Amino acid sequence: MVPVTTPARLLESLPPRPPTPPRDSSDGSPSAAVLEDCSNRASMGSSDSARRFMMDTPPNDAPSSSAGTSGSTAGKARKRVEWSPWTNYYKAPVSDSARRHTTDGQLKVLPPSRERTCSKSILKPYDRFIPVVPSYPSNQPANTLSAHSYADFPAMLESVLQQLAGEARSARVDAYLLLSGALKYYDDIPDPRAIGEKMGLFMQFIRRDLNAETPGQTVLDTNLITQALKVLSIFIWTPQICESLADDFMVFVLDQAVTVLEKPSVPKVLVNNYMHLLGQQKFGPKIMSPERANRIITSLSRLDGHVKGNSILGERLVVYQRLLSQAKNVMAARAESWMDHLWSALQSGIREIRSRAISFGIQAGIELGATGHVTRVFEECFDRRHGQGTFAAHIQRHLAAMVAAKEEGSHAAQIWSVAILFLRSPPYQLEHWVHMKPWLLVIQKCFNSSDVMTKFQANTAWNRLIFAVGPDASTGQMMIKMLRQPMLGHMERKVVDKNSRTARQMALSSLCCLLYYAFRPSADFKQLSLYWDEYVAQVLGKSVLHSPADVDYGCAILACLFDASQSKPWNENRANEDGALQPEELPRLDPKWARANAQTICKTVETALSKANWSRTGDSETPVRKLWRTFMKAISDAATKEVKVSREHMEAMAQIMSLLGRIWRAGPIALSLDPEAADADADADFLDRFGFLVRTSVDALGGRCFTEKFLPRNGEDLSEALVTPTHSSPRTKSEKLHSPMLRLLHLFSEPPRDTLLTAPLFDMVRAMLESCCNAWGSSRTQMALLRECAEVLSPVTDNFPPSRGLYQIVAELASKAMELIVSDSARPTSELATHEFHDAVVILGQRCGLVYTELSNTWQALISTTIRASKILLGDDGIVDAVIQPLASMLSLQEFVDGENGILSNAACILSLAPFPDDEIIRDRPRRAPWGTASSLRKDRPNQFNFLHLMIDSILMSSYRDFSRLDKADLGLFLSALSHYITRCPPSKIGRLLGLVQLGVSSWVEDADHKLTAKDQSIWDVFVTVMNLWAAIATAVERLPSKDSATLEELEVLITSGLQSRRRVIVNRSIELWNSTFGAEEALEYPAKVRHAILPFKGLDSLLLPTFPVEADDEVADEGHSFVDASDGESGGAGINTFSSPAGVPATGLAAWADPVRLTASSPARRSLVKPHSPTRPNPRRNAKRKARAGKQKPRLRHDDSQIQFAPIESSPIHSSAADSQDLTDHQREVRQKQRAQAENMFPDLRSSPHRRSKGAKATLPQLLLSSDLPSTGAVASPSPPPAELSAPAAPPATTTVTATATATATATVTGSSILAALSKVLRDIRQVAFGGLARQEVRAIDDVMFDIRREAFQADTGGE
């Protein structure tokens, strides 16, 4: 049994442990503890007193365990405890008590532990002497090395140098040990300057000790040389210290190392140390010259003759690898000296040697693989006979066996890549290597291995194959397809576990490597197109993007191919470096190539958009959004230096527009949304994603690019569209093209489903149009763009109501553009300014804006802004010519739509905004064309408001006809606006205004169809506005400067309608108007209709009838005049201006509904207004024959209820001068001539009516030949005012027949605005001739026909604007 000392006695025998100084000791030396520990270790080997204390463990039975430290720092030093290979145990004798315990089975009490002894020591074996010396006194000898003796690192260096300067061998060994141990504890040298100052002495001592011999012998002192080489290796390895070494010293070290390697008698330990030194040195080319490198290679190649061992093999590979970086050309020339050593080490069974060989082989292949000589040496090595076959076959079998062994499979793939790297010389390319096919079988087994590390190394080896091949335009098609096979194979496999997921990620990294070298920056367009089709379209487009788990990674790869946000230096050796290649490292494709191949790229991008995940995670941008953004940026960058939009850029834009069109028509499925989902969220997501595509395109490519016209108007697919720049195209050809902005707007107006037309879409359209408009600074260009948008939307808005919101956006943006003119008060007036107003009028003149109620507010806001802008630049007369007149002509051509009242509200807005320019101001101002630059000097402008007044007349007639379809509030608004407009009209323009609107006003005033008699509050409100309108008209007539016969003839229809109204309040106001105007004249000529309307009231005492024809006394009214009273009373109705009754004619309040009352010329009630009394209502149609009356009765005009033919009647001859002299006094004739002169000044473009016919004349009515009164048929070259006067027919025929043929002739003859006044006159003539024999319905039919004729005249005049 081994005796074991008690712990108490053992501690007593040990020397006291020196104190451990803290890290931040007071003396400021952080290395004191380390130096002390090193000094203690050094003193352990030389102190004889340490040998006096040893462990009681038998030295032969308990081997020493490893207690050394490894690593470069003290923190990493660890002890390793090993199990002893010896199995001898000392068995303690069995005591009597133990025997008794085993026999009787009773438990015995054990003695205290301090009294019991162990059968085996628990202390770890230690093979060094433990120093048992007392603490050194302060006056310790100088040769005693202790860290506690030195204040800092320089003091320790000084002590080491003193030891090295001594003669004692053990002291020098201890000094080297102390210095090397201290330096190993630091990653960096504590004080490089201190060592540099002492480097001269160190080089002297090391040079001396490298040749030291054992005292008393002729052999080298191995221990001393080894310790000196260790210190020297540290000096050489550390750059800060190596700079202090002298060149001659480094040359000495190299020569000494070569000498040692060449001597067969040198101990193996020294050979290893010298080889380690050669592997660590980093001498420059001046020291490591080609001659010395050759000597080293030669000496290494001969080592096998006198030195053996695995350590020698490993160190030799390290030296080769070092020489590869120092003497590359020498290594290439001496390839046959180290190639066999390399492949022998690659087959080694020791993993560490094999790892060193793989490291050297990969570096040698990278550095020298493209050298023809090295490749030839490798070929010879593999073609050499080995056993029954070649060395290549042997290596293949060896690698296959390694793959089968799971722990060696990773090395097999790396060794496979070493051979690939040596086959990069052009004459010996891989695709021509005879062993290539069997060699690929090895890597195939690695790919199919179940070991994850083997698969990882297989992908790394495949990356090196890609590096070795260097795919370019000259690479064979078979090699190109082979390089993508591993990626395709991994994509086809299902992801079932974590390992398969990892393998797929490694395959995607290899795909990045393949694209990295295929799309190298130096690649030409041909190469880029080739590998896009082979790798991007085939692998990414057909495999990666169709995998839900990998689609985002695929989008990231595509995005990085277009991304230029960060610098990407291209590294030829990237495949051989550590770390998987990420998409961010991919080189950017040439933007001009991307633009030229936009059609091919868009196909892959379209797949990515339909498969990718669009949902954001936090604030980061999704890969698919980054893909679209970078793609658009690449297209934009291609045109950076282009002044004009090139044809290539237009073609790329056409492809982008085609892609957006396909996405829009396909709907949500095209942007990775469920096609079956039809809820609001799905539509919102689709609009959000599509809006991102549009906004990004406009922002990246620029608004100006989106406004260039180069796309055909028709056709959905633009991939084959032939584009031509608009700046080089004629105008006629440019009009057949669309811009991308208009193309998108047309797409938005026809969504795949109606639910997409929501606020998000309108926001997207607004943003797009704003970007395009803001790209142009001038308001003129902006208005031109918006006008084109309005024209594109116009055909769609009628058939697809939701698209009207797009027009609203266009109108709102046009208002903003016009605001620029209003805000820019310093802008000078220019003739070209009217172009902007022309564009605004075109936008306002679209049917959707004129007709539909939902757009009225926007429409009215735009016209208000336009009028304010035109007032600044053109004045009030410019407003009328440039804005009011064109819009009035367009509005008059519109027809009412059920439920839509935009015509009424917009017309009311025009009337409220229309100014009346001062005649004196505009008389000397050149007349500006409605739009354009042409101008002509016109001092008389009687036709300035023709279109506006005819619009009023047209709306009045059509609104009465469609009364039941219209909103009564909007109708009342229009009538009120008309009343206010008439009130504002200056006296000089009242006559013409009333003459042009009297037909429309008469329909409301007469109310022939009893449309204002219903007991509905809304209809009553309309009636109130009609009353107010008539009051305004009456006031306007009273303000006329002349109230003579000519004026009465021009206002014949208006005056007649007031007298024939079915409302007593209107009749009373009309009589009052007559008395205050025409009745106050001394002499008056009565038109036929006026005379016929006055007959029922001729007997009123209050009615003034100057020079009423005598023959009218014998005329008898065919029917009495009938009134319709309202239950609320006319005179007291709310909102009606109270009309005072003329003297002798009481204004009867309509307290209750009453039937019409017949009032005839022979009635006894002619002297007072007849009140309603009869409960029966006569037939309104006058189709019965007139009853014979008692007494004398003149033959009267008969009507056979036919609208086609009328019987000829006798007419009185024309008045002659003699007849006039008999009827009128001299004063009366003078007054009449003065009145006619005033009428001619008021109505210069209208002729006066023919002279009245005398009593008893047996002549017929004049024949109405419309063609004789109008210009000849022909197109009007340009808008011109109507003639000042139209002459009457020279000799009227004997009979008059109004037929449909005559109406058709008038329609064919009428063209242009120059005959508008003539049309009004013709209409009045027809009504005058036929009034006595036609029913009211038939007269209205004639009015409708003439309205159609007038509409065609408007269209011909405006040219369709």
Side-chain angles (χ1 to χ4, degrees):
M1 183 173 179
V2 179
V4 180
T5 58
T6 61
R9 296 179 179 179
L10 178 60
L11 294 176
E12 291 176 358
S13 62
L14 290 175
R17 183 176 182 272
T20 301
R23 293 183 181 272
D24 50 349
S25 58
S26 60
D27 58 358
S29 177
S31 58
V34 177
L35 296 179
E36 179 188 5
D37 182 73
C38 296
S39 63
N40 289 338
R41 293 189 180 186
S43 62
M44 284 165 52
S46 59
S47 177
D48 295 337
S49 61
R51 293 186 174 87
R52 292 179 297 181
F53 182 82
M54 296 183 63
M55 297 290 296
D56 289 338
T57 305
N60 295 332
D61 294 344
S64 62
S65 63
S66 175
T69 60
S70 61
S72 60
T73 62
K76 296 182 180 180
R78 301 178 64 184
K79 292 183 179 181
R80 184 175 60 183
V81 180
E82 298 179 350
W83 293 101
S84 173
W86 292 273
T87 56
N88 297 333
Y89 296 94
Y90 294 91
K91 189 175 182 181
V94 180
S95 60
D96 295 338
S97 60
R99 294 191 184 96
R100 288 193 299 269
H101 171 70
T102 55
T103 55
D104 54 14
Q106 296 180 358
L107 293 176
K108 302 298 182 181
V109 179
L110 294 176
S113 58
R114 63 177 178 272
E115 299 178 0
R116 290 182 287 117
T117 58
C118 297
S119 60
K120 189 176 182 179
S121 175
I122 62 173
L123 296 178
K124 298 179 180 178
Y126 194 76
D127 58 353
R128 293 188 180 182
F129 300 111
I130 299 178
V132 185
V133 295
S135 300
Y136 296 132
S138 59
N139 55 356
Q140 59 186 356
N143 59 352
T144 302
L145 300 179
S146 175
H148 298 285
S149 305
Y150 311 117
D152 50 19
F153 188 77
M156 188 207 71
L157 291 179
E158 187 65 29
S159 176
V160 169
L161 289 175
Q162 291 179 6
Q163 295 294 327
L164 293 176
E167 297 295 334
R169 171 184 171 277
S170 60
R172 283 186 283 173
V173 172
D174 292 343
Y176 284 126
L177 285 172
L178 175 61
L179 182 58
S180 61
L183 294 178
K184 287 180 181 179
Y185 272 99
Y186 293 90
D187 291 332
D188 295 326
I189 301 302
D191 195 348
R193 185 181 59 81
I195 297 180
E197 293 175 354
K198 307 294 183 180
M199 187 54 65
L201 295 175
F202 279 116
M203 290 188 293
Q204 178 182 351
F205 296 145
I206 292 174
R207 184 192 294 264
R208 177 198 64 190
D209 294 335
L210 289 182
N211 293 317
E213 297 181 351
T214 304
Q217 301 180 10
T218 58
V219 297
L220 296 175
D221 191 344
T222 304
N223 190 15
L224 181 58
I225 295 175
T226 299
Q227 299 304 325
L229 287 175
K230 290 182 179 180
V231 173
L232 179 59
S233 297
I234 296 175
F235 286 173
I236 292 176
W237 174 260
T238 308
Q240 298 94 325
I241 302 178
C242 186
E243 294 175 356
S244 304
L245 297 176
D247 292 347
D248 59 341
F249 178 75
M250 290 186 286
V251 171
F252 162 76
V253 171
L254 286 181
D255 293 340
Q256 182 72 12
V258 174
T259 302
V260 170
L261 295 180
E262 292 176 346
K263 289 183 179 180
S265 60
V266 176
K268 180 179 178 181
V269 62
L270 292 183
V271 174
N272 275 332
N273 281 281
Y274 272 105
M275 292 179 68
H276 180 74
L277 177 65
L278 292 176
Q280 301 300 323
Q281 55 84 24
K282 299 177 182 178
F283 299 150
K286 182 179 179 180
I287 308 301
M288 182 59 71
S289 62
E291 294 78 9
R292 293 190 180 92
N294 263 309
R295 287 185 58 194
I296 294 175
I297 294 174
T298 302
S299 61
L300 291 176
S301 63
R302 298 175 181 176
L303 277 179
D304 293 337
H306 57 274
V307 180
K308 304 289 184 182
N310 293 326
S311 60
I312 298 297
L313 296 178
E315 292 295 343
R316 180 166 57 186
L317 294 172
V318 175
V319 177
Y320 281 147
Q321 192 168 358
R322 178 62 63 186
L323 291 177
L324 191 62
S325 60
Q326 292 179 309
K328 179 179 177 180
N329 294 334
V330 177
M331 288 291 292
R334 298 291 301 274
E336 62 278 357
S337 299
W338 51 264
M339 186 65 70
D340 291 339
H341 297 160
L342 170 63
W343 285 100
S344 297
L346 289 173
Q347 301 177 68
S348 174
I350 301 176
R351 189 177 185 86
E352 183 179 357
I353 296 178
R354 196 166 59 240
S355 299
R356 291 187 179 183
I358 291 172
S359 177
F360 167 59
I362 291 175
Q363 185 175 353
I366 295 172
E367 298 290 340
L368 307 176
T371 306
H373 174 69
V374 177
T375 303
R376 184 168 59 254
V377 172
F378 171 78
E379 288 267 0
E380 294 173 354
C381 177
F382 264 55
D383 293 339
R384 190 171 55 244
R385 300 294 300 176
H386 187 279
Q388 300 298 324
T390 61
F391 182 75
H394 166 72
I395 290 294
Q396 293 167 14
R397 292 191 297 269
H398 180 76
L399 294 181
M402 292 178 65
V403 174
K406 191 173 183 180
E407 63 278 1
E408 297 181 356
S410 60
H411 276 187
Q414 296 180 64
I415 296 172
W416 183 89
S417 66
V418 172
I420 293 298
L421 293 174
F422 281 114
L423 294 170
R424 293 188 295 115
S425 178
Y428 305 96
Q429 288 182 346
L430 278 166
E431 48 191 322
H432 304 302
W433 190 33
V434 294
H435 305 291
M436 190 62 192
K437 186 175 182 179
W439 197 249
L440 290 173
L441 297 176
V442 176
I443 199 66
Q444 181 179 350
K445 293 181 179 180
C446 295
F447 277 120
N448 295 329
S449 175
S450 59
D451 182 51
V452 177
M453 185 55 65
T454 302
K455 289 184 177 181
F456 172 77
Q457 292 298 338
N459 282 279
T460 303
W462 196 261
N463 294 345
R464 295 194 179 108
L465 173 63
I466 297 171
F467 163 77
V469 173
D472 55 17
S474 62
T475 306
Q477 193 66 25
M478 293 184 61
M479 180 62 71
I480 292 175
K481 294 182 180 300
M482 186 195 69
L483 292 177
R484 72 186 187 191
Q485 290 305 315
M487 300 76 172
L488 291 175
H490 280 92
M491 293 299 106
E492 293 174 357
R493 297 177 182 176
K494 294 182 179 181
V495 178
V496 294
D497 54 10
K498 183 178 179 180
N499 292 338
S500 58
R501 176 70 254 176
T502 303
R504 183 172 291 234
Q505 292 176 352
M506 292 185 294
L508 292 174
S509 178
S510 295
L511 177 60
C512 291
C513 182
L514 183 59
L515 298 176
Y516 187 86
Y517 287 94
F519 294 142
R520 64 183 65 213
S522 60
D524 55 8
F525 282 14
K526 179 181 178 181
Q527 179 176 339
L528 295 178
S529 300
L530 171 64
Y531 290 111
W532 180 276
D533 295 336
E534 293 294 339
Y535 296 151
V536 177
Q538 297 296 327
V539 182
L540 269 178
K542 294 184 178 180
S543 296
V544 179
L545 296 179
H546 288 273
S547 173
D550 304 319
V551 62
D552 288 344
Y553 195 89
C555 291
I557 292 176
L558 290 174
C560 293
L561 289 176
F562 302 114
D563 188 17
S565 59
Q566 56 184 354
S567 177
K568 301 178 181 179
W570 194 78
N571 182 10
E572 177 73 26
N573 196 39
R574 179 60 184 88
N576 303 305
E577 295 179 353
D578 295 336
L581 201 149
Q582 300 299 324
E584 291 76 12
E585 302 178 56
L586 293 175
R588 189 194 190 193
L589 297 175
D590 191 336
K592 292 188 176 181
W593 175 87
R595 184 179 67 176
N597 294 267
Q599 182 177 3
T600 304
I601 296 175
C602 283
K603 294 179 181 178
T604 305
V605 172
E606 184 176 3
T607 304
L609 296 177
S610 63
K611 302 295 182 181
N613 179 22
W614 287 76
S615 301
R616 294 186 178 182
T617 55
D619 297 334
S620 61
E621 186 181 26
T622 57
V624 66
R625 292 177 182 265
K626 182 180 179 182
L627 164 60
W628 184 258
R629 178 177 55 80
T630 54
F631 178 44
M632 292 297 102
K633 185 64 168 59
I635 300 297
S636 176
D637 291 346
T640 302
K641 298 182 179 180
E642 295 177 355
V643 179
K644 296 182 179 180
V645 180
S646 63
R647 180 182 179 89
E648 292 78 9
H649 203 71
M650 291 181 181
E651 290 176 351
M653 287 290 298
Q655 301 304 327
I656 295 173
M657 291 300 103
S658 180
L659 171 60
L660 293 176
R662 293 194 299 270
I663 293 174
W664 182 257
R665 286 184 292 271
I669 192 174
L671 295 180
S672 189
L673 289 170
D674 186 7
E676 302 298 332
D679 54 353
D681 293 338
D683 293 339
D685 292 340
F686 174 74
L687 292 176
D688 174 71
R689 298 174 185 183
F690 193 84
F692 167 79
L693 301 181
V694 174
R695 288 191 302 270
T696 305
S697 302
V698 176
D699 294 342
L701 300 176
R704 293 200 174 192
C705 184
F706 269 76
T707 57
E708 289 286 341
K709 291 184 178 181
F710 54 86
L711 300 177
R713 288 179 179 267
N714 300 323
E716 297 179 354
D717 189 9
L718 304 178
S719 58
E720 302 296 335
L722 178 62
V723 294
T724 303
T726 56
H727 55 262
S728 62
S729 302
R731 177 177 176 83
T732 56
K733 189 172 185 178
S734 177
E735 291 176 352
K736 298 179 181 179
L737 299 177
H738 261 178
S739 65
M741 177 188 69
L742 298 179
R743 184 79 180 185
L744 287 175
L745 192 62
H746 186 267
L747 283 177
F748 297 147
S749 64
E750 297 178 351
R753 54 191 186 194
D754 300 350
T755 55
L756 292 178
L757 282 173
T758 55
L761 174 63
F762 296 145
D763 294 341
M764 174 178 58
V765 175
R766 185 184 301 274
M768 180 191 71
L769 295 182
E770 285 180 347
S771 299
C772 294
C773 291
N774 293 336
W776 301 89
S778 65
S779 58
R780 177 180 178 182
T781 308
Q782 294 181 10
M783 290 301 299
L785 296 176
L786 295 173
R787 172 180 58 80
E788 295 173 352
C789 295
E791 293 173 345
V792 169
L793 293 174
S794 181
V796 186
T797 52
D798 284 341
N799 301 327
F800 192 61
S803 64
R804 296 168 192 165
L806 302 177
Y807 172 84
Q808 183 176 359
I809 296 174
V810 174
E812 291 174 354
L813 295 179
S815 297
K816 291 184 179 180
M818 297 304 295
E819 286 288 352
L820 297 178
I821 303 177
V822 177
S823 60
D824 189 5
S825 59
R827 177 177 178 177
T829 304
S830 171
E831 292 184 352
L832 298 178
T834 51
H835 284 286
E836 301 165 13
F837 306 124
H838 169 231
D839 296 331
V841 168
V842 173
I843 297 173
L844 290 167
Q846 301 303 316
R847 174 175 169 78
C848 58
L850 295 174
V851 175
Y852 299 108
T853 306
E854 60 187 291
L855 302 176
S856 296
N857 293 335
T858 305
W859 192 92
Q860 294 167 17
L862 176 56
I863 190 176
S864 300
T865 308
T866 304
I867 289 178
R868 291 202 309 272
S870 60
K871 184 178 180 64
I872 295 174
L873 296 181
L874 306 178
D876 288 343
D877 59 325
I879 294 175
V880 177
D881 292 339
V883 182
I884 300 297
Q885 286 282 74
L887 284 179
S889 65
M890 297 175 189
L891 196 59
S892 63
L893 301 177
Q894 306 303 321
E895 296 181 356
F896 289 106
V897 180
D898 292 340
E900 302 294 343
N901 300 278
I903 295 178
L904 295 173
S905 60
N906 294 338
C909 180
I910 292 178
L911 292 177
S912 63
L913 297 175
F916 291 98
D918 190 352
D919 293 338
E920 295 181 359
I921 296 177
I922 67 174
R923 186 172 293 116
D924 299 329
R925 181 181 298 178
R927 181 176 183 268
R928 191 180 303 277
W931 39 77
T933 59
S935 62
S936 60
L937 188 62
R938 291 287 303 273
K939 292 190 176 182
D940 55 335
R941 300 172 63 182
N943 311 320
Q944 190 178 23
F945 289 91
N946 271 359
F947 288 106
L948 177 60
H949 298 163
L950 293 175
M951 175 204 75
I952 298 172
D953 186 61
S954 173
I955 294 178
L956 285 172
M957 289 190 295
S958 58
S959 60
Y960 185 80
R961 181 179 63 245
D962 301 329
F963 179 75
S964 60
R965 303 165 57 188
L966 303 180
D967 182 76
K968 305 307 180 291
D970 290 332
L971 181 57
L973 177 65
F974 169 72
L975 295 175
S976 299
L978 178 57
S979 302
H980 182 65
Y981 177 79
I982 294 175
T983 303
R984 294 189 299 113
C985 184
S988 61
K989 297 180 174 61
I990 290 179
R992 183 159 188 81
L993 166 63
L994 297 178
L996 293 177
V997 304
Q998 59 183 342
L999 291 176
V1001 172
S1002 65
S1003 60
W1004 286 99
V1005 172
E1006 292 183 19
D1007 191 20
D1009 297 336
H1010 307 282
K1011 295 184 177 182
L1012 299 178
T1013 58
K1015 296 181 179 181
D1016 186 84
Q1017 180 62 38
S1018 61
I1019 296 179
W1020 173 256
D1021 294 339
V1022 174
F1023 169 70
V1024 170
T1025 57
V1026 172
M1027 298 301 102
N1028 294 334
L1029 173 62
W1030 184 248
I1033 292 175
T1035 304
V1037 173
E1038 291 172 351
R1039 291 191 294 121
L1040 286 174
S1042 176
K1043 294 93 173 178
D1044 56 4
S1045 299
T1047 304
L1048 178 60
E1049 182 180 3
E1050 296 302 327
L1051 302 180
E1052 177 184 7
V1053 177
L1054 186 66
I1055 299 300
T1056 302
S1057 64
L1059 295 174
Q1060 292 181 341
S1061 175
R1062 296 180 179 275
R1063 296 289 184 173
R1064 184 176 288 105
V1065 64
I1066 295 179
V1067 173
N1068 290 340
R1069 184 66 178 94
S1070 300
I1071 295 175
E1072 180 184 357
L1073 170 63
W1074 176 269
N1075 291 335
S1076 62
T1077 54
F1078 303 105
E1081 297 292 320
E1082 295 181 1
L1084 196 66
E1085 293 183 3
Y1086 294 85
K1089 290 195 295 183
V1090 174
R1091 185 174 68 250
H1092 186 82
I1094 290 178
L1095 285 178
F1097 308 102
K1098 186 177 180 182
L1100 294 177
D1101 295 336
S1102 60
L1103 184 62
L1104 303 179
L1105 299 173
T1107 65
F1108 193 78
V1110 178
E1111 65 271 17
D1113 295 337
D1114 299 331
E1115 295 182 10
V1116 179
D1118 55 347
E1119 290 183 354
H1121 195 82
S1122 60
F1123 295 102
V1124 177
D1125 294 342
S1127 59
D1128 296 334
E1130 291 181 353
S1131 61
I1136 303 179
N1137 297 334
T1138 55
F1139 301 148
S1140 59
S1141 302
V1145 182
T1148 304
L1150 304 182
W1153 285 98
D1155 291 333
V1157 179
R1158 188 181 305 273
L1159 183 62
T1160 63
S1162 60
S1163 174
R1166 292 182 60 180
R1167 299 299 177 182
S1168 62
L1169 190 62
V1170 181
K1171 296 185 179 181
H1173 64 280
S1174 176
T1176 61
R1177 182 186 302 270
N1179 187 0
R1181 295 181 55 86
R1182 290 186 284 179
N1183 54 0
K1185 294 183 178 180
R1186 298 173 183 154
K1187 298 180 180 180
R1189 299 184 182 273
K1192 295 181 180 180
Q1193 186 173 4
K1194 296 180 64 177
R1196 296 184 294 123
L1197 185 66
R1198 296 180 177 276
H1199 181 243
D1200 60 354
D1201 198 19
S1202 172
Q1203 299 184 19
I1204 305 300
Q1205 295 180 350
F1206 296 92
I1209 60 176
E1210 297 180 355
S1211 178
S1212 300
I1214 300 177
H1215 279 285
S1216 62
S1217 301
D1220 292 340
S1221 62
Q1222 294 177 2
D1223 296 338
L1224 301 176
T1225 64
D1226 295 339
H1227 178 67
Q1228 289 175 339
R1229 283 195 296 270
E1230 182 181 354
V1231 171
R1232 186 177 64 178
Q1233 290 177 359
K1234 184 184 298 185
Q1235 292 174 346
R1236 288 179 178 176
Q1238 294 178 353
E1240 290 178 358
N1241 293 332
M1242 293 178 57
F1243 306 98
D1245 57 340
L1246 298 179
R1247 60 174 182 157
S1248 60
S1249 60
H1251 295 287
R1252 312 312 306 167
R1253 294 177 293 277
S1254 62
K1255 179 179 179 181
K1258 300 298 182 180
T1260 59
L1261 293 173
Q1263 184 179 5
L1264 294 178
L1265 298 177
L1266 301 181
S1267 60
S1268 64
D1269 290 342
L1270 303 176
S1272 59
T1273 304
V1276 180
S1278 62
S1280 60
E1285 182 175 354
L1286 295 177
S1287 59
T1295 60
T1296 300
T1297 302
V1298 181
T1299 63
T1301 305
T1303 304
T1305 303
T1307 305
T1309 306
V1310 175
T1311 55
S1313 63
S1314 61
I1315 58 173
L1316 293 179
L1319 287 174
S1320 301
K1321 183 62 179 177
V1322 170
L1323 181 59
R1324 288 195 296 271
D1325 291 342
I1326 293 177
R1327 290 170 60 93
Q1328 179 179 350
V1329 171
F1331 185 82
L1334 293 180
R1336 293 184 181 274
Q1337 293 83 351
E1338 295 162 344
V1339 174
R1340 289 194 58 80
I1342 297 177
D1343 293 345
D1344 293 340
V1345 173
M1346 298 310 299
F1347 175 73
D1348 294 337
I1349 296 174
R1350 190 164 51 194
R1351 177 185 301 171
E1352 295 179 4
F1354 294 160
Q1355 293 176 342
D1357 177 61
T1358 60
E1361 292 290 344

